[in-house]
Amino acid sequence: MKRNLDAIVAALTLEEKASLCSGLDFWNTKPLERLGIPSWMMTDGPHGLRKQSTDSARVGLHDSLPATCFPSGAGLAATWNADLLGEVGAAIGEEARAEGVGVVLGPAVNIKRSPLCGRNFEYFSEDPFLAGELAKGYIKGLQSRGVGASIKHFAANNQEKSRMIIDVVADERSLREIYLPAFEAAVRDAKPWTVMCAYNRINGTYCSENPWLLAQVLRKEWGFGGVVVTDWGACNDRVAGLAAGEDFEMPGNGGITDADIVAAVRNGSLPEDCLDAALRRILELTFRVADAPPAPRFDAAVHHALARKAARESMVLLKNEARLLPLDRGSGSGSALGGRTGSPAPAPAGAPTARAGHPPAGRGRIAFIGAFARTPRYQGGGSSHIVPARMDDALAEARRIAGDIDYAPGYRLEADEPDPALLAEARETAARSDTAVLFVGLTERLESEGFDRSDMKLPRSHLALIEEVLKVQKNVVVVLSNGAPVEMPWIDRVPAVIESYLGGQAWGGAVADILFGLSSPSGRLAETFPRRLEDNPSFLNFPGDARKVEYREGIFVGYRYYDAASVEPLFPFGHGLSYAEFEYSNLRLDRAEMRDTDSLTVRVDVRNVGQVESQEVVQLYVEDEEASVQRPPRELKGFCKIDLRPGETKTVNFTLAARAFAFWSPEHGDWVVETGNFIVSVGASSRDLRLRASVRIESTAPDIRVWDASASLGEVEKTPAGAAFIRSIKPRFAATFGSYEPGSAEAEMMEEMMRGFPLRNLVRMGHQVTECEIDELIDTLNGK
Ligand code: BGC
């Protein structure tokens, strides 16, 4: 319905205006019946709906209505499948609409600066491009169902320690290149209805009242027209917040800050126009929610099947020596070694059908060891905690696929301390089996909103279990359930490892599908797994002091650092194996030279040379070969997940516009592509690049340098006028510096040293050049 927002705003009293800018309680907005303004509800996300079933005046983390629990953000990101995130977003949207929810608080796209951040399980990636593409998929899917997204936490909320007050000290280039682009891509392309501003400060100012962040970057540069809502309790100075672009405060606070707003308008310190502008945005959102089409019907079984698909695609096969996986479906414990003669149990609904021609593998009698096999660790703690609609366990699902499987719990859930009796039982079970699948990971109390981890270690009880089983069994598959990287001191002794992340309610079925080859693994790491925490670039500056954290590693976050410093990771960004194999060929660029205003089309052929159908994630990285500023060796600028049958070839297309080649230039206050050669590489991970090609780009960025006498001869020499000038004055240097045989080592050393001389020294040292000549050159360089 079309409404005249200006008329509504004009009809409001100042008190009403102020009051409509904050919540009624924890989840609802305030109604105003007099003017037909309805109340509506927002709830968490992001990987399912957390609609509190009890009193909205308090925050009840575990008493929400049952909803489909999808894999949490880290797992969803490992799918590298933006379309799939769209399907998940749409399903969450359907459940939200059915519950009358207007906005779901997600996706959460903060960058994984350190493996220790307590909310990494909720976040997508260490890479801003990947995080941005996935966020776009999720938001478009969610909003297609008439439910708004709230992309969060804007911005640089990369740790839990002191999150509500910490001052993030970061240079603009790092913010622009690493911490903001996921938000930027989503805002520009997917148009989320709301943006949630973070608790922390950036360079001294709280995000909720940061004019640079909200007014300049978000609204002016990216054109965000929606509502900025505070994270719950992120409002500091309400009046400063409104002036900077913070529209809506959550949760409600009983009118305390409404009074601040009224007083500020009355005493002239806050222009009423500014309040009106926020109100218009809030009203627009309110009516958008009110006018959303009726709730579509959804089928919980279909959503569960989607959760299983998402969980399957999120699983990353880290290692698979001697093709231990997939396990033979006919090799349950009732069988003789080498497989049963009977046919396997029928696959459950929603599972993919078995692939013909699958190579027999597996190792006879199988044991599942580890309590997670029965009681999954499927999500993290805090505000994203979903009450799952139903719950699969891996053991039951695997038995449906492969018959009898032995089981031993191995450890007590939530206990760090190993239990000798459970270890002994696990060892005996493993010794009796031909293959042991160990279910280990991080316990619930190690991963939650509100605090960071203190190390990357598995609980002692899980480590002891791995060691105990390895004493008697070498065919070991480790299935990890955790939301962020862990150290793996046992990695060289374990032939197969699956990183299954926190896989949501259908994790059990999904992991069974992968273990028994009903589906080929297609998850890829959206983050680097370092060997040791100390290898991580933020190590010395995470989590900082009590009130301040300095992002001293700058743009060298994640693989950007490991590649630049040649630090060997445990598993690199983008890594993930498959039961198939892929061949890359025929990389072609549609041009060898271009201007930065053109775009480049890249094509590559990918063929499945394995024996099973599988998905491959084709990754594209760009390297600037001749940068004048520090740049990472390569950066992800494209990816595409494709499905290939055995023998099938597909051509993958990428389009790269200027931004794919650009860096943020604080001097230009803009993205700049420098003239020079760029390498485009394509492959299966950041460290498995199969093909490369180069393109030369001509920059159209304005030359904004103002030359003066502090310019070095080396810099001047790079310009045509400067090079000519240096050639002309060179003979005069001999009087001061002596003459050297051209081409000799001494001559080369001398020239290199001279390149560091500022122009002014040519006049002062030896008086070989006049001030007038220098001034003339500077004028020429400045185009005068
Ligand atoms: C979290 C947000 C969440 C909000 C509402 C905050 O503590 O940081 O991510 O959406 O609470 O539960």
Side-chain angles (χ1 to χ4, degrees), residues 26-27 43-46 50 59 61 105-106 108 119 122-123 152-153 157 160 163-164 196 199 231-232 383-384 449:
F26 256 93
W27 308 112
T43 66
D44 284 302
R50 187 173 75 85
V59 66
L61 287 182
L105 305 176
R119 289 184 93 169
E122 262 185 87
Y123 297 152
K152 65 190 187 182
H153 309 88
N157 181 180
E160 291 301 281
R163 67 171 166 158
M164 292 191 167
M196 184 191 291
Y199 288 125
D231 195 348
W232 270 228
S383 63
S384 68
E449 176 180 342

Side-chain angles (χ1 to χ4, degrees), residues 647-775:
E648 192 184 5
T649 303
K650 276 186 184 157
T651 299
V652 179
N653 288 302
F654 298 98
T655 304
L656 302 178
R659 184 67 179 268
F661 304 96
F663 67 94
W664 177 264
S665 161
E667 290 77 26
H668 289 77
D670 205 349
W671 296 96
V672 167
V673 181
E674 286 187 309
T675 296
N677 267 347
F678 291 78
I679 306 284
V680 174
S681 317
V682 173
S685 94
S686 64
R687 298 247 173 151
D688 182 10
L689 295 167
R690 310 277 179 87
L691 300 167
R692 45 191 265 146
S694 83
V695 58
R696 186 169 175 81
I697 305 186
E698 204 58 48
S699 176
T700 57
D703 184 0
I704 56 163
R705 174 157 188 170
V706 180
W707 295 88
D708 61 24
S710 72
S712 71
L713 287 189
E715 291 172 302
V716 166
E717 195 184 27
K718 289 192 185 131
T719 67
F725 174 77
I726 291 171
R727 267 196 309 278
S728 75
I729 60 168
K730 241 184 198 168
R732 301 185 221 164
F733 293 162
T736 310
F737 298 108
S739 54
Y740 300 93
E741 175 135 358
S744 67
E746 290 82 1
E748 274 176 25
M749 280 162 58
M750 204 58 206
E751 282 193 9
E752 200 48 47
M753 195 163 75
M754 297 285 296
R755 287 197 177 93
F757 276 37
L759 284 175
R760 62 162 189 266
N761 284 35
L762 296 182
V763 182
R764 294 180 197 165
M765 290 175 69
H767 302 282
Q768 302 301 324
V769 181
T770 67
E771 215 147 320
C772 189
E773 283 174 297
I774 298 290
D775 288 347

